[in-house]
Amino acid sequence: MLKKIEEIFFRSLMLISNLLIVSVLVIILYSIFRKGLGALNWEMLTQRPHGGYYYGKEGGVLNAIVGSLYLSFGATLLATVIGVPVALFMNVYLVKRRKILNFIRFLLDLIWGVPSIVYGAFGFGLMVFLGIKTSLLAGIITVTLFILPIMIRACDEILKTSPLGLLEAALSLGSTKTETSFRVVLIQSFSGIVTAILLSFGRAIGDAASVLFTAGYTDSIPTSLNEPAATLPLSIFFQLSSPVPEVQNRAYASAVILIIIILVISLLSRALSKKYHKNRI
Amino acid sequence: MIVLFYNRKTKNRISTAWMYIAISFVVLLPFILGLGLYFKSSLLFSENSLGDLLFSKVWKPSIGKFGFLTFIMGSVWVTFIAMLISAPICIFAALSITQYSKKFYLKIIHPVIDILAGLPSVVYGVWGIIVVVPFISTVIAPLFGAQTMGYSILAGAIVLSVMIIPFILNILIEIFRTIPIELTEASLSLGATKWETIKYVLLKKALPGIIASLGFGLARAFGETMAVLMVVGNMVQIPKNVFDAGYPLPALIANNYGEMLSIPKYESALMFAALILFVVVMVFNALMRMLIVRYDKY
């Protein structure tokens, strides 16, 4: 009897935990959409803020949308150029070197956990060191450092499931390691790699702490890498603290836009990873 | 034909060279980060001892006194309470997801966890400001007879706990799934009930993994910046209870960077704060990683 009660007690705790998790997501989405959807209109998406982002009542958040996209595309591109070859290197060149491979994975897991504010501070130091000012470029460099370990580890997780036989077959037919990497292993796991890149893009577009000191903030849309750029997360953060209600509305609208971008990324990567699991050998 | 062959070889050489450069960069990155932050904060070490910096609570940048104890305590409070909230929720949810749930429910809960994990930290901050902060000032605080605006350690901890739940939960689910099913089946076939099996077999077997997943969550929470910064109140004081405002380390860095550039010592103090975060997170993650080395399918 006591056993039964104990089991029921813990089952209900499990049920409550699940309910809490699901309902907290519903509450987050509901509360922000309720505030933000009303403020979201065409003007918000197509205009820059007029009269300063902090006090100006008119205009929208186009500067932040474009800035965020520039920044995240730039950083994701840079991280892909560095990260995908690294992941391939680990799984083609180093596949037999267990010890080295484990050490690299260990290091990657360690920097994977470093908070983005630390990258922000480091990026700022780097910026001063290199003599560049707060700009799109500085932001891109910092965010690249931040998402690089995430991307490599995600690609690595995908690539390490690719069968060794495939690799050996390609090599034994006389292809170079480069051809094996990019034309066989990479193509085989392609949708998985795209998922990993999307995941990194989502990280890049959502992070605020790493661009706080490096990308700057501006009302205008950057036309070169040397100009500062506004980003969506920072537009939420700065405009929410403004005393003007219209400006606060811009912050809520930005939050809705950001959530929608994240949801789309999440849906896309879900669809892709389904495809990946279907095509896998 | 020979040209083509040469071409392939050249391509191979170039791409291999790039791979070597890229991987050396990545392997060196943690050391570059650590050393960079150390050199940037070295100005502070030259005049203050490490013990003073970490354990003094006098924070007067204008006269060159930098004691980080207030901020370290702020971080410890917020992180600790967040862990208290999220640890049991994560463990129970992971148990039910891996042991009891039907396929149909998994199709709901997995996307929910994914979305929670993907939401940017400022979004959690906005949620904190419009829901958690008013809830604390109007409902929870009066319940305990406290007066607060709501911007408090508790608000930071609640927001933080929600943020780290998907993170811990994903690791926990993975860990419970690596426990061989034969073990639980053996226990069930001997007549133990499902809950007894979980209690005496599964939890026991997974204990190092559970500790590690909570450790990773703790490290993650310790460095989380924006969401906490937005709701925690940011007052330079050591909190006495959960309704007091606090000032965690990441918030210190984020709040003060812009203005304090002119004072080199202040800048190096903020770099030191980043160094503390870096070291704590790296050490914690390394320890936890060693703890679960045997689960890894590296």
Side-chain angles (χ1 to χ4, degrees):
Chain A
M1 193 55 208
L2 208 65
K3 267 193 207 172
K4 239 342 192 233
I5 295 173
E6 188 184 322
E7 174 144 15
I8 291 171
F9 173 70
F10 281 102
R11 291 278 333 245
S12 30
L13 281 182
M14 290 178 200
L15 187 71
I16 294 170
S17 303
N18 275 294
L19 278 178
L20 272 174
I21 291 173
V22 177
S23 56
V24 94
L25 178 65
V26 174
I27 294 172
I28 290 174
L29 295 182
Y30 173 76
S31 62
I32 293 176
F33 274 73
R34 204 186 55 152
K35 286 251 186 188
L37 273 183
L40 193 62
N41 51 34
W42 198 237
E43 190 192 338
M44 207 53 99
L45 295 172
T46 54
Q47 294 199 14
R48 299 185 286 116
H50 301 310
Y53 69 86
Y54 202 74
Y55 290 116
K57 294 182 181 176
E58 304 286 313
V61 291
L62 184 67
N63 58 334
I65 300 175
V66 176
S68 259
L69 290 178
Y70 279 171
L71 188 90
S72 326
F73 272 118
T76 313
L77 189 71
L78 213 55
T80 309
V81 171
I82 303 173
V84 172
V86 168
L88 284 170
F89 186 84
M90 288 165 69
N91 288 284
V92 175
Y93 288 65
L94 292 180
V95 75
K96 293 267 166 68
R97 305 283 198 86
R98 271 327 201 191
K99 281 220 167 109
I100 302 181
L101 202 52
N102 282 348
F103 175 68
I104 294 174
R105 286 189 177 137
F106 180 71
L107 277 185
L108 282 172
D109 282 338
L110 287 192
I111 36 176
W112 196 91
V114 170
S116 64
I117 186 84
V118 173
Y119 284 99
F122 178 80
F124 183 85
L126 194 69
M127 214 170 74
V128 175
F129 183 71
L130 296 175
I132 47 180
K133 52 182 185 1
T134 52
S135 60
L136 192 55
L137 180 68
I140 288 178
I141 293 174
T142 312
V143 175
T144 304
L145 293 181
F146 169 59
I147 62 174
L148 192 55
I150 300 171
M151 184 182 288
I152 298 175
R153 212 55 187 90
C155 289
D156 180 41
E157 285 294 319
I158 301 282
L159 291 177
K160 82 179 176 193
T161 60
S162 86
L164 204 60
L166 192 72
L167 191 92
E168 282 165 349
L171 288 174
S172 69
L173 285 173
S175 42
T176 62
K177 281 193 170 165
T178 305
E179 287 162 347
T180 312
S181 308
F182 288 98
R183 299 223 182 129
V184 181
V185 177
L186 182 65
I187 296 298
Q188 175 57 33
S189 317
F190 196 68
S191 46
I193 298 291
V194 176
T195 314
I197 293 174
L198 273 177
L199 179 94
S200 316
F201 181 81
R203 275 311 182 80
I205 208 166
D207 194 66
S210 59
V211 291
L212 191 57
F213 330 123
T214 50
Y217 197 86
T218 167
D219 284 351
S220 52
I221 293 168
T223 51
S224 85
L225 281 173
N226 293 321
E227 285 174 30
T231 54
L232 278 171
L234 287 184
S235 97
I236 300 170
F237 179 62
F238 289 142
Q239 300 189 109
L240 201 57
S241 61
S242 161
V244 185
E246 285 86 349
V247 174
Q248 287 187 9
N249 277 340
R250 280 213 295 266
Y252 294 128
S254 306
V256 170
I257 298 168
L258 191 55
I259 292 177
I260 291 175
I261 294 176
I262 297 291
L263 287 181
V264 169
I265 291 174
S266 162
L267 279 179
L268 266 180
S269 55
R270 255 188 182 265
L272 272 172
S273 77
K274 245 188 212 141
K275 197 176 152 206
Y276 168 67
H277 282 291
K278 226 198 271 167
N279 291 345
R280 172 171 163 189
I281 304 181
Chain B
M1 200 57 207
I2 294 197
V3 173
L4 210 74
F5 182 67
Y6 177 73
N7 213 355
R8 283 179 60 206
K9 265 195 155 170
T10 316
K11 257 191 203 163
N12 187 35
R13 219 171 276 155
I14 294 172
S15 112
T16 306
W18 174 244
M19 283 177 171
Y20 271 107
I21 296 172
I23 198 151
S24 327
F25 173 68
V26 171
V27 169
L28 288 176
L29 188 57
F31 303 100
I32 299 173
L33 274 174
L35 285 177
L37 292 174
Y38 177 77
F39 280 123
K40 272 287 188 179
S41 50
S42 55
L43 185 61
L44 204 61
F45 291 127
S46 61
E47 284 167 49
N48 308 54
S49 73
L50 190 63
D52 247 16
L53 290 174
L54 293 179
F55 300 113
S56 153
K57 52 182 177 186
V58 188
W59 179 261
K60 292 214 172 78
S62 50
I63 53 166
K65 291 234 183 275
F66 296 95
F68 282 88
L69 189 67
T70 322
F71 307 101
I72 295 174
M73 286 316 286
S75 275
V76 169
W77 268 84
V78 174
T79 310
F80 187 68
I81 296 167
M83 287 308 292
L84 278 186
I85 301 171
S86 55
I89 295 179
C90 285
I91 293 172
F92 285 123
L95 280 178
S96 82
I97 288 167
T98 54
Q99 307 302 315
Y100 289 98
S101 294
K102 303 266 185 305
K103 267 233 160 76
F104 151 79
Y105 180 66
L106 292 183
K107 278 196 175 150
I108 302 174
I109 192 77
H110 277 305
V112 167
I113 299 172
D114 275 2
I115 294 172
L116 276 176
L119 285 182
S121 104
V122 256
V123 167
Y124 282 101
V126 175
W127 170 67
I129 289 177
I130 57 186
V131 177
V132 179
V133 166
F135 183 71
I136 287 176
S137 71
T138 56
V139 180
I140 299 186
L143 218 60
F144 292 90
Q147 283 263 325
T148 170
M149 287 283 289
Y151 291 90
S152 57
I153 292 285
L154 186 62
I158 291 176
V159 172
L160 200 50
S161 69
V162 176
M163 292 185 69
I164 56 174
I165 279 176
F167 182 76
I168 300 176
L169 196 51
N170 272 329
I171 306 174
L172 269 180
I173 290 175
E174 194 115 309
I175 285 189
F176 284 148
R177 292 219 166 118
T178 57
I179 306 287
I181 195 134
E182 290 83 3
L183 274 178
T184 47
E185 274 174 356
S187 160
L188 287 173
S189 69
L190 287 171
T193 64
K194 183 103 189 177
W195 173 248
E196 282 172 328
T197 305
I198 289 175
K199 195 163 72 170
Y200 296 115
V201 181
L202 192 78
L203 286 181
K204 213 169 199 175
K205 193 79 186 153
L207 189 64
I210 295 173
I211 296 172
S213 68
L214 296 180
F216 289 131
L218 199 138
R220 166 55 64 99
F222 199 71
E224 181 47 54
T225 312
M226 298 313 277
V228 180
L229 164 70
M230 287 162 85
V231 296
V232 82
N234 301 325
M235 272 159 65
V236 187
Q237 60 181 24
I238 293 184
K240 288 183 196 60
N241 64 54
V242 294
F243 297 113
D244 278 351
Y247 210 153
L249 277 170
L252 171 74
I253 307 173
N255 262 342
N256 294 301
Y257 227 101
E259 301 106 75
M260 296 307 164
L261 274 178
S262 39
I263 314 171
K265 242 188 137 184
Y266 203 111
E267 189 198 339
S268 88
L270 295 182
M271 283 293 177
F272 180 66
L275 185 64
I276 299 177
L277 285 178
F278 178 76
V279 170
V280 167
V281 169
M282 291 285 270
V283 168
F284 234 90
N285 279 350
L287 289 178
M288 296 301 136
R289 195 50 64 183
M290 285 169 192
L291 196 63
I292 55 164
V293 118
R294 60 174 130 159
Y295 290 95
D296 273 325
K297 310 153 271 182
Y298 277 171

